[in-house]
Amino acid sequence: MKKLYYIFALVITSTLFIACQNSKGVAKAEDMGKYVFDVLKKMDNTSKDDYIKTIFTFEEVKEFGENNADKISERGRKEIANLEADKYNGRMESDYNRIKEAAEKNSIVWNAIEYSDYMYEDKEEDNVKGTKGEVLFKHNDVTYSVNVSSLIVDDKYRLIRLSRLAKK
């Protein structure tokens, strides 16, 4: 009986640990670089749908707008209200495609990249705080960058967009 209890406790603890590890976002702005790097390392095996689930989804944007309507500027509320799923997801798919195409053009093997740095600055727009920056990584001794945008949601920095993979 005790053995069963310990196995059960181990399974629950492991599940909670994995769930926390896979949560979307980070507590500190400076941790976003490593978070994004982990997303990039998996890009060889990431589908468009999985990529879109990794970032701030359309449904999460709408929920954020509803939950923070009193904090967001009128302009921001209107933008969220007028946001359409097809256009939003289309933009995220376009970012995904461009990153994948640039990686292919540069023969980047994602699981072979090495983290270099994350540079960012705090941003605020329409009373919404976040960061804008870039993750630097190396592949075959060449440095590349990817632009990163994040948003603070419930005291957590959430990835809202990756774009522009470029050679430095």
Side-chain angles (χ1 to χ4, degrees):
M1 185 69 166
K2 279 186 176 182
K3 192 174 186 178
L4 184 60
Y5 173 77
Y6 288 117
I7 291 171
F8 181 74
L10 179 64
V11 168
I12 295 296
T13 305
S14 299
T15 303
L16 289 173
F17 179 76
I18 290 167
C20 289
Q21 292 279 57
N22 293 332
S23 67
K24 293 168 75 171
V26 293
K28 297 184 286 187
E30 55 269 19
D31 294 338
M32 183 54 70
K34 294 278 186 169
Y35 178 81
V36 167
F37 180 75
D38 289 341
V39 170
L40 293 173
K41 277 211 58 104
K42 299 172 189 166
M43 284 293 276
D44 283 326
N45 299 314
T46 302
S47 69
K48 281 183 197 176
D49 289 338
D50 288 341
Y51 171 77
I52 289 173
K53 290 175 189 170
T54 301
I55 57 178
F56 208 51
T57 65
F58 173 78
E59 294 79 15
E60 290 169 326
V61 171
K62 290 294 194 174
E63 182 181 340
F64 176 79
E66 290 171 13
N67 294 343
N68 295 282
D70 59 329
K71 298 174 190 168
I72 301 172
S73 71
E74 184 175 338
R75 179 178 150 247
R77 286 191 306 269
K78 284 181 182 178
E79 284 183 15
I80 291 172
N82 293 331
L83 192 61
E84 297 174 16
D86 290 345
K87 287 184 180 178
Y88 181 82
N89 290 335
R91 186 170 59 229
M92 297 308 127
E93 285 180 20
S94 178
D95 289 342
Y96 170 87
N97 289 335
R98 286 185 183 130
I99 289 171
K100 292 286 265 191
E101 288 166 7
E104 190 174 315
K105 177 182 170 190
N106 289 288
S107 301
I108 294 173
V109 177
W110 288 111
N111 65 7
I113 63 175
E114 298 172 25
Y115 181 81
S116 295
D117 199 7
Y118 174 58
M119 299 171 295
Y120 70 94
E121 58 184 32
D122 295 324
K123 290 286 187 181
E124 183 173 341
E125 188 176 331
D126 298 318
N127 296 328
V128 177
K129 294 179 181 179
T131 64
K132 211 161 196 46
E134 66 179 351
V135 169
L136 301 175
F137 65 90
K138 286 187 177 188
H139 184 265
N140 293 335
D141 293 323
V142 177
T143 301
Y144 297 90
S145 68
V146 173
N147 290 348
V148 177
S149 296
S150 72
L151 175 71
I152 301 174
V153 180
D154 298 328
D155 298 324
K156 203 173 204 183
Y157 288 85
R158 296 283 308 274
L159 178 61
I160 59 171
R161 191 167 189 199
L162 294 178
S163 61
R164 296 191 182 110
L165 170 62
K167 196 181 291 188
K168 285 302 233 184

